[in-house]
Structure formats: C-alpha cells, structure tokens
Amino acid sequence: MMLGRVHWLADRLIGLSAIVGTLGLLFVVAVIVFDVVGRNFGAPLYGSQDLITMTMVIIVFGGMSLCDRDGGHIVVDIFENTFSPRLNRVIDVVAALLGAVIFVLIAWTVWQSAQLSVLLNLATNLLRLPTARFQYALCIFSLITALGMLLRAVSLMLGHKAAGAA
Amino acid sequence: MSSVFVGSVGLALLLVLLLMRIPVAFAMFAVGFIGIWILNGLQAATGLLSSETFALASNSELIVVPLFILMGNVASATGMSRKLYDAAYATIGQVRGGLASATVIGCGGFAALSGSSVASALTMGRTALAEMDRFAYSPRLSTGVVAAGGTLGILIPPSTGFVIYAILTEQSIGRLFMAGILPGILLLTAFLLTIALLCTLKPELGPRGPKTNAREKGRAFLGAVPILAIVVITIGGIYSGMFSPTEAAGVGAALVILIGAVTRTLTLRVFWDAARSSIVTTASVMLILIAAHMINPFVALSHLPAEVSRLLVALDFGPFGTLVVILAIYLVLGCFLEGLAMLVLTLPIFMPVVLQLGIDPIWFGVLVVLTLEMGLISPPVGINVFIVKSVARNVELLDIFRGVLPFWLAMLLTLALLVAVPSLSLWLPSMM
Amino acid sequence: NELKYANWASPMHTIVAAQVDPLAKALDEGTGGETTLRSYNGGELGAGPADQFVRVLQGTADMGWGVHGYTSSQFPKSLVLELPGALPLDQPGYAALWRAFPDELAQEYPRTEVIALWASEPNILMMRDKEVHSPADLKGLKMRVAGSISAEAMEALGATPVQIPMTQVYNGLQTGLIDGVISGASVLSDFKLNEVVGSITSGPNFGRLTFYTVMSQGAYDGLSDEARAALDTLKGEEISRMTEEAWVATADEALEAARQADGITVLDLEGDEAQAFNDALASVTDAYVAEVGGEAALAAIRGE
Ligand code: NA
Ligand code: NA
C-alpha cells in the first residue's frame, strides 16, 4: 500500500538524519579536544569556531525528526486527563499539522536565506565554509521532520494510535 | 488596532495554546510568527523565522547544550553518576532530604561554572533525577530541586546575566560579580532550608537512609573518584584559563567517554545510544530556545513592555514603591519571556528612572537578575521546568511546577530580604 | 511611515547618538514628522552583528549597521582598509572608504542603499599583564582576534590567535584563557575590559575595524521625495564622518581613562620600536591584497 511505503521511507530518512546528527556531535567533541590541547601547546586547531558553529546546525536539526517521532516535544499536560479522549485526539492532530506547517515554513524561509547567502557570498570567517550549504542541510532536515508530522496526523485521522505520541 | 493590543492578545493566545497541550515550541512559533506578520508584515515575519532559526542553530555558545547532555548521558550509562550518588548517600543519606541538598549544591556549582542555568538543569536533570528516584525520593522534590538549583548559578561568577546587565547599563562587571556572592550564598541557604522544611513536614519526600560506617563511606567514596576527578579537572581548567566554560562542556564529555572506555563500562553500543539520545534532547531544547526568539521580537514590536513600564513609572510611587513595581513587572514578564531578552527590552526604560531615584545600579542589578531567574521556573513559560520535563518524561509538568513552587517562594523571600537589606549586595563590592 | 533601524548594540552605544539620532532628526524635520526613524536596540529585531545585512535585505528592518569583519567573505575589498598599514593612522577611514566606494566597493552591497561607511579608532594591543614592546614579547601568547585578518596578523607576530565571543573576553582575560586582545580602545569601556587589562601597546599600525550602515533598496525607493531629500543631506560621507568622529572620541576617552588608571600601563611605541611591528605585518597586508585582487582598492583607499 502507498501509505505503508511512505512510512517506510520516512523511517529510513529519520534514522539517517539522526545518524548524521549523532556523528556531528561526536565530531564537535573531537574538535574541542584537539583545539584545547593544541592551544595549550601553542598550536590551536585553525578554524575550530567555524567547524563548531556549522556542525551545530547538523546536530540540532539532525535530531529534530527523531525527537518528534519519539514524542520529545515538550507539552503542558496539565489538562490532559480533564479533556475527553476525542478532544485529546483532535489536539494531537492539530499539533501534528501545526508542526508540519511550521517546519515547512522554516524550510522554505531558510531556503530563501540560503539563496541570499549565495548572492552575498557568505561563508565562515576562517575556513570559508559556505553558509548556504548548511542552510540547505537545515531545510532538508526540516522537511523530513515535517513529513514525519504529516504522517502522524494522517495516522491519527485514520484512527491509529500514534506511536510514542506525547 | 494598537500594537500594544496585538501584543496582549498574542500573549493571551499563547497561554491558551499552551494549556490546550499544543507543544510549547509550536505555540511560540505560531504566536510569534503571526504577531510579527500583523505588526511588521509577512516579509519581516519570514525573514525573522529564517534568521533566528539559523542564528540560534549555529550559535557557538549554545554548543554547551548538546555537549552537557552527552556528558550527562554517558555518565549515567557508565554508572559514574550512580557511584557519585552512592557516595553522597553514604555521606549524608541519613539526613532527611540529604540527597536533595547535595543535588541543589551540585546544580548551583554546575550553573556557576557553566554560566548557564539551562545547561545545569539539563546535565543534572539527566543524572540526578534517576538517582534520587533510586533512593525513593519523590519526583516532585527531585525535579523541583533540579529546576530551581540551576538558578543559583547566575549570582555566582562567572555569570552571563551580570555581563549583559553591565554592558547594557555601563556598570562594572567586577563589582557586580562581587555583589552577587553573598546573595548567592543566601539563596543557597534558603534552598537548603526549604528542603529541610519540606522533608520535615513530609518525610516521604526524601526518606532517611541507613546509617553507614566509616568503611562503607570510604568504599562509596572510592567509587566516585573518577567522576570527582573529572569535576576537579573541569573546574580547575576553567579557573586556570586552560579552556573556556563553553569548551569545558566538550572536555568534560570527552573525559567521561575516555574513563568509560578505559574502565570498559562503556561499550560501543551504549555509547552510540547515549549520543543518539543526546541529539534528541538537544532538538527538543533548542527548538524551544529558537521559538522563544520569535516571541521576543514580537513583544518588542508590540511596544508592550515599554508602554506598561512607562505607565507604571508615571504613576510615581517614590523610590521604594517604584523599585517594587519594577520588580513586579519583571516577575510578570518573566512568566512569558526569556530572561536576557527581557533585560534588553526593559532596561533602557527603567535605568534612567532607577538612576534618577538614587537607587544603586549595582544593587538593582542583583535584584533584577535574581528576578529574571525566577522567570525560568515560573509558569506558563518556565524554560528550566520544560528542560527538566524533557529529561523526566514520566513526570507530569504540573507535578514539576508544584515541586518548584516552594523554591520559587524561597527565591521570593530572598528577593524581599535583598530589597530590605541593600548591604547584603553592596557590602562586598564596597570592599573593592 | 516609521522606518525601523536595527541596532544590535545597547541603546547607550555610540551609534545611537552619533548616527541614528541625527538621521531620525533629519527625516523628522525634512518631512514635518511624516517619516520617522525608530531604533530597535539591543538586537530586538534579531541579535548579533553578523546577520544585519541579511535582515535588511529580508525586510526585518529597513536600516541596520554591521561589522564587515563578521562576514568577511562578503566584503573582501572593503576589508582592505582593516589591513595593518593600509592607511596611515592619522587619516580618517570614512574618507578613504568613500574614495574607493564608487569604483571598487559598491558591488559588495547588492540590493541596498549604502548610508554610511566608517572605520574605528586604530587597533591596539590590550594585554592581561604582559608588557609588549616588540614582536618577540608576543611569542606564544594567546590573543583574541575578531576575524581572519587579525588572526593572520597575530600569527605573523608569533602569537596564537584565539576566537571567542566578545562577551567572553572579560572572563577570558581574568582566568588567563587569553593573554590579550587586539581591537580598538573603545572595547575598554564598551565591554569593561579596563577592569582586567594590565598593559596596553599602541603606536604600530595594527589596522582598524570597519563598519557599514545600509538601507534596503526597496525601502529607499519607497520614500517620499521629501524623505529621500532629507536622508540624502546626510547620507554618505557626512553621516559617516559624524559617526567615525564620535567613535574615535569614545575611544580617546577610554584610552585616556586607561592612562589615568593605576592598574594599567600604556606603552606608546614610536620610531624603530613601532617599525619593528609594521615590518613584521607588511607581509600579511601584501598577501591579503594579492589574494583578493585588491590592488586597485588599496590604491583608491590611499588616494593614490
Ligand atoms: Na555563574
Ligand atoms: Na517563566
């Protein structure tokens, strides 16, 4: 079935972006250690700030879709038990759709910024890492997140209990 | 439609969305984006959405968030934090709520070092909550302690809050650092008394542990040596200039990983899972921080803080009354806005009034940063509480807010004491 | 019609009185209050100096100011003025920038109307405790730098360049994370570094920092004729001169306060002592100019 195949694809994409994000985190640990040790011996890692700031984009947004799938978004659950199951279901659908809209919007606006970055030739100060590349990466991670949310909204509307929904 | 009206409606809507269980970050994004759209046009709204998102996601100072989460995750996966709590339990477990007291001191120290109460709530939250749970401490007490403990850090140097205040108001950073020390100790004492009081009234919150003999104490302490060594190296490294507080997060994480690998408590599988779960928590926390930065320009564009402040200042309550009113405004704004953003929005309006009334700006600085930290644990937008929630998913948010309440009251009392006795803040800087 | 000026610095910063207020006054008077300019301070419209140009292009603000060095890849030729020895220290930077603007620099500011271009006071070395008389004194010291140009300058002098945010410099100097900072004297007061600096070295031509203020082309073209005329009376060299003079005055005041302070030694190097630094730095300037093809820009800046 079509939807099943989309779910399968989304799961792969979510897993893949989490792997990229995790590798980014370990890379940053290594960069900091090399920089600190090197600096105290008079040979710091050239451009460590550039590496850290740009990798951070990968870390933060690489984990975004997995965070969403694991129900990791923080909610104020004070009235959860007061609401009827039906209302809670409606809220879950609305939240998932709202999230999808937000992440598509983020992807779209950051895509536009990336084009400005190309126009202005923006890059990091020392290593000249092009800003646009990391903005494009952020867009892709955001779209994967939005896809996951959309699928959850569809599942909820079809009556399935969302896996791990908050 | 006046901009102030739009601002007020926006904040009310935010409150409703939050109570309707819309994820906190989504609610802030939606209200901020639509509010900016109404006040300043769609182009400005889309522009801010992209620039704030990318700027925060590539902010080198926020790298401490994933790094400290990683450090906390690996420390608990390898059992290092377990051994630390075993040692603490053997030492002060016989005292009611003893572990909670130890945790509050740990959180304060951590926040003091990292300069960030958010980082403290994250790292300590990861480790301390599960450990206190193991010793049958009530989640209400343990989450309250972790959320509140981090707020100690802003009063103890180095403090980002004081640096920003000093730059905005042209005060001496050194004098502000000195001014924060006694109030910091006072607040710590207030927290410890709060724990003692809570555990006396309700012993089941933090039950007494068994008595231990010197040998058991020694063995427990020995087990905690690796993690204590890491703490000592990290603190020493910051104060000796080996690395910055930001880099300390990376060094700390690397050391925990290294010791885990050497002692073979950290397998590749466990390591990978800890790292992977770190980026999930990072995403959840960073998304809230990014979304908070959509609310800030919205509130700035609505001129809401400026108008409310002008109105109240114009009512002219005299020096003492005005001071109390200003702090009350900070308490209310703190319910919605992130602390540093609030400083930027309001200090330009308050500072001339404060100086004109002859209120000491150093004293005022101490009072203001303490009030801002209260905002981190006050509903509905209490960033520290959300962070504790992100690492303690099984505890209900309402329970965390309930657990935080006594500490919030302790902060309020401390604030009142600092208002009543200015020399508590001003004595040390006057020695300089 | 309210124009929005994005100021990422504090409302007490020199930029407000020296630049925003005069522009606002000219617009207000020239249009009888029809067009006003409002300053959003402290990064209310988005934090930090790095993204200001983009924010103006995106319409978040109509006008904003930034530091060329924070996005150095966008301004390879404007940054020639920052190079050590690019311009004698007693010559104003704004005039040099506007000399080079029409032919050499204009293409670095697409889709905007450039309102002001100016430079800071000369860079100096602000050290934690070590007194620096010669390049040899810098050997192995950790120096906080703002961008690639000052990083290469410090490497050429044998120091180790360190990149940390400006707000962390105070603590960094206190703990010894860094041994010194290269920047203009205004940071002594702006970031309270006077409390943690022990020694200052001035005299050699360490270059300077440059700044820009831009307005989006759309906002400029959308102004009424009166508003545009009012803005044009100040736009360009005039407002740039006013801003730079206020900048230098703030810096002079900070440096003078440092001279009076007990805990700070100020070394004013002259003659051979200063020349030793200038000689060591010449290669940095030459290499940069060659790399960005900035020979014509350098000549225009120098008025050659
Ligand atoms: Na601190
Ligand atoms: Na709050």
Side-chain angles (χ1 to χ4, degrees):
Chain A
M1 172 181 156
M2 183 64 197
L3 200 59
R5 210 173 282 173
V6 177
H7 269 290
W8 179 87
L9 178 69
D11 279 349
R12 290 295 165 284
L13 289 173
I14 290 170
L16 192 64
S17 59
I19 288 173
V20 175
T22 310
L23 290 175
L25 178 56
L26 302 180
F27 175 69
V28 163
V29 174
V31 166
I32 290 177
V33 170
F34 273 106
D35 190 33
V36 167
V37 173
R39 187 173 64 232
N40 286 286
F41 289 98
L45 188 62
Y46 185 78
S48 59
Q49 281 291 310
D50 293 8
L51 292 173
I52 292 170
T53 51
M54 289 302 148
T55 312
M56 191 162 155
V57 176
I58 309 287
I59 298 171
V60 172
F61 275 81
M64 201 58 81
S65 54
L66 185 60
C67 170
D68 181 68
R69 202 190 57 184
D70 288 2
H73 296 304
I74 297 156
V75 296
V76 180
D77 50 14
I78 295 174
F79 294 121
E80 183 164 10
N81 297 327
T82 329
F83 295 156
S84 68
R86 204 185 145 79
L87 180 58
N88 275 322
R89 166 81 59 90
V90 171
I91 289 171
D92 286 336
V93 172
V94 170
L97 287 175
L98 178 63
V101 170
I102 289 169
F103 275 89
V104 168
L105 208 55
I106 288 176
W108 176 59
T109 58
V110 173
W111 189 277
Q112 288 183 320
S113 295
Q115 287 169 329
L116 279 183
S117 301
V118 172
L119 172 80
L120 300 177
N121 189 31
L122 294 181
T124 61
N125 267 335
L126 296 190
L127 297 178
R128 297 272 181 250
L129 306 172
T131 309
R133 280 195 206 160
F134 297 90
Q135 291 172 315
Y136 288 134
L138 193 157
C139 295
I140 293 167
F141 288 135
S142 296
L143 288 177
I144 295 173
T145 310
L147 176 66
M149 290 168 167
L150 213 53
L151 288 175
R152 186 167 70 246
V154 171
S155 299
L156 283 165
M157 282 190 282
L158 293 177
H160 306 296
K161 175 92 187 78
Chain B
M1 213 169 23
S2 84
S3 57
V4 173
F5 177 74
V6 175
S8 317
V9 170
L11 290 184
L13 182 66
L14 176 63
L15 189 59
V16 171
L17 289 176
L18 290 179
L19 294 178
M20 291 299 292
R21 280 183 58 239
I22 299 295
V24 174
F26 299 0
M28 291 199 284
F29 268 121
V31 169
F33 185 86
I34 295 171
I36 295 165
W37 183 356
I38 293 172
L39 294 173
N40 206 12
L42 181 59
Q43 213 192 354
T46 56
L48 267 171
L49 181 64
S50 67
S51 63
E52 291 301 287
T53 302
F54 193 76
L56 276 145
S58 61
N59 179 323
S60 65
E61 290 178 72
L62 289 176
I63 193 71
V64 298
V65 170
L67 290 174
F68 276 131
I69 298 173
L70 178 66
M71 180 172 158
N73 277 346
V74 176
S76 35
T78 55
M80 265 182 252
S81 34
R82 184 187 183 98
K83 286 178 177 152
L84 184 65
Y85 270 84
D86 284 342
Y89 199 63
T91 318
I92 51 165
Q94 313 82 293
V95 181
R96 270 195 199 125
L99 281 188
S101 303
T103 303
V104 108
I105 295 171
C107 286
F110 194 96
L113 275 179
S114 64
S116 156
S117 33
V118 169
S120 156
L122 274 171
T123 319
M124 295 300 289
R126 255 313 148 173
T127 51
L129 296 177
E131 294 304 322
M132 284 194 275
D133 198 40
R134 188 158 65 93
F135 293 108
Y137 275 56
S138 147
R140 198 179 284 186
L141 179 65
S142 59
T143 52
V145 161
V146 171
T151 62
L152 281 165
I154 200 159
L155 292 170
I156 301 162
S159 152
T160 324
F162 278 142
V163 171
I164 305 269
Y165 178 87
I167 289 171
L168 283 171
T169 61
E170 314 200 299
Q171 295 302 313
S172 153
I173 298 176
R175 288 168 61 87
L176 277 163
F177 278 2
M178 293 299 280
I181 293 175
L182 277 184
I185 295 171
L186 193 65
L187 184 61
L188 174 63
T189 314
F191 282 172
L192 293 178
L193 288 175
T194 306
I195 294 169
L197 186 67
L198 286 174
C199 293
T200 309
L201 294 176
K202 282 189 171 180
E204 70 274 18
L205 287 177
R208 239 186 251 281
K211 279 212 161 38
T212 48
N213 61 32
R215 217 179 119 176
E216 285 165 319
K217 283 193 175 83
R219 192 189 307 148
F221 182 77
L222 217 58
V225 163
I227 185 90
L228 287 174
I230 292 175
V231 172
V232 169
I233 292 174
T234 316
I235 295 177
I238 292 174
Y239 281 104
S240 67
M242 291 264 288
F243 38 77
S244 70
T246 315
E247 291 165 339
V251 173
L255 286 174
V256 173
I257 294 167
L258 183 73
I259 290 186
V262 168
T263 59
R264 309 217 167 176
T265 45
L266 189 63
T267 64
L268 206 55
R269 181 80 237 168
V270 171
F271 175 49
W272 181 258
D273 287 346
R276 193 171 122 113
S277 118
S278 305
I279 66 163
V280 170
T281 313
T282 302
S284 144
V285 170
M286 286 297 299
L287 196 63
I288 287 197
L289 290 180
I290 294 170
H293 281 252
M294 286 301 283
I295 292 290
N296 296 337
F298 162 54
V299 173
L301 288 164
S302 77
H303 308 317
L304 187 65
E307 292 308 320
V308 171
S309 314
R310 269 203 202 95
L311 182 72
L312 286 165
V313 168
L315 291 175
D316 186 21
F317 296 101
F320 183 75
T322 307
L323 180 66
V324 172
V325 167
I326 290 177
L327 293 178
I329 293 175
Y330 276 120
L331 273 182
V332 174
L333 286 177
C335 293
F336 294 96
L337 292 178
E338 190 242 17
L340 298 181
M342 230 170 6
L343 278 184
V344 170
L345 291 178
T346 52
L347 276 182
I349 303 146
F350 289 143
M351 248 5 246
V353 181
V354 163
L355 292 174
Q356 198 191 336
L357 291 172
I359 297 171
D360 188 296
I362 298 276
W363 179 44
F364 184 66
V366 172
L367 302 178
V368 166
V369 294
L370 182 57
T371 316
L372 292 183
E373 288 289 289
M374 292 176 74
L376 285 177
I377 57 169
S378 48
V381 183
I383 302 271
N384 265 18
V385 173
F386 293 153
I387 283 166
V388 169
K389 169 78 183 167
S390 77
V391 293
R393 299 243 196 108
N394 53 339
V395 185
E396 282 186 29
L397 196 69
L398 188 60
D399 265 342
I400 307 182
F401 272 121
R402 275 199 197 121
V404 158
L405 180 66
F407 296 96
W408 191 88
L409 290 173
M411 289 181 93
L412 191 63
L413 281 176
T414 309
L415 182 67
L417 192 59
L418 293 176
V419 169
V421 189
S423 57
L424 284 171
S425 314
L426 295 174
W427 180 65
L428 272 183
S430 72
M431 302 277 102
M432 277 172 80
Chain C
N1 181 16
E2 180 195 276
L3 297 174
K4 296 180 174 62
Y5 186 110
N7 167 32
W8 48 273
S10 93
M12 274 71 94
H13 194 277
T14 316
I15 189 84
V16 177
Q19 185 179 92
V20 188
D21 289 350
L23 289 174
K25 187 159 171 276
L27 278 168
D28 189 49
E29 286 173 358
T31 63
E34 282 289 304
T35 303
T36 56
L37 181 68
R38 181 178 179 131
S39 187
Y40 287 80
N41 302 312
E44 282 176 357
L45 297 182
D51 295 321
Q52 298 304 325
F53 198 97
V54 170
R55 290 207 171 91
V56 168
L57 284 193
Q58 289 179 327
T60 308
D62 301 298
M63 239 187 253
W65 75 288
V67 188
H68 290 99
Y70 276 83
T71 47
S72 50
S73 56
Q74 186 190 342
F75 302 108
K77 293 189 179 168
S78 300
L79 282 167
V80 167
L81 185 76
E82 291 203 352
L83 293 166
L87 191 70
L89 293 179
D90 54 1
Q91 287 188 28
Y94 73 91
L97 284 166
W98 283 105
R99 266 200 303 275
F101 182 76
D103 294 334
E104 295 297 324
L105 311 182
Q107 78 276 9
E108 294 182 344
Y109 307 82
R111 298 192 203 169
T112 51
E113 191 70 25
V114 180
I115 305 293
L117 294 171
W118 73 102
S120 71
E121 68 281 5
N123 283 339
I124 54 177
L125 305 180
M126 286 158 277
M127 310 301 296
R128 180 176 187 233
D129 41 29
K130 182 131 196 212
E131 293 191 3
V132 177
H133 298 268
S134 70
D137 292 336
L138 275 173
K139 186 143 186 59
L141 296 190
K142 290 170 283 183
M143 296 291 293
R144 190 266 177 183
V145 298
S148 56
I149 291 177
S150 48
E152 271 154 39
M154 285 302 108
E155 276 186 339
L157 296 174
T160 304
V162 177
Q163 270 184 303
I164 52 170
M166 198 59 213
T167 45
Q168 287 184 14
V169 169
Y170 184 99
N171 287 325
L173 283 170
Q174 204 165 43
T175 60
L177 177 72
I178 49 174
D179 297 298
V181 190
I182 173 165
S183 187
S186 54
V187 297
L188 287 169
S189 52
D190 284 352
F191 293 93
K192 310 288 147 210
L193 300 190
N194 56 330
E195 297 174 18
V196 281
V197 161
S199 149
I200 292 174
T201 299
S202 84
N205 192 330
F206 292 116
R208 39 187 125 193
L209 302 177
T210 61
F211 309 92
Y212 62 83
T213 299
V214 291
M215 182 170 188
S216 74
Q217 198 62 58
Y220 183 76
D221 293 342
L223 289 175
S224 66
D225 291 343
E226 299 83 50
R228 196 171 321 113
L231 189 58
D232 286 348
T233 57
L234 286 178
K235 188 179 71 116
E237 275 206 57
E238 180 59 9
I239 191 70
S240 305
R241 177 188 63 77
M242 293 161 69
T243 314
E244 183 165 313
E245 283 173 0
W247 226 262
V248 173
T250 309
D252 284 347
E253 216 173 286
L255 194 54
E256 191 48 40
R259 285 180 202 283
Q260 304 299 327
D262 290 333
I264 306 178
T265 318
V266 180
L267 307 167
D268 295 293
L269 304 186
E270 290 171 349
D272 287 349
E273 277 192 318
Q275 196 55 41
F277 284 93
N278 296 341
D279 290 344
L281 292 169
S283 62
V284 173
T285 303
D286 294 343
Y288 181 89
V289 171
E291 190 196 325
V292 304
E295 293 81 3
L298 181 62
I301 279 170
R302 287 176 169 163
E304 287 164 355

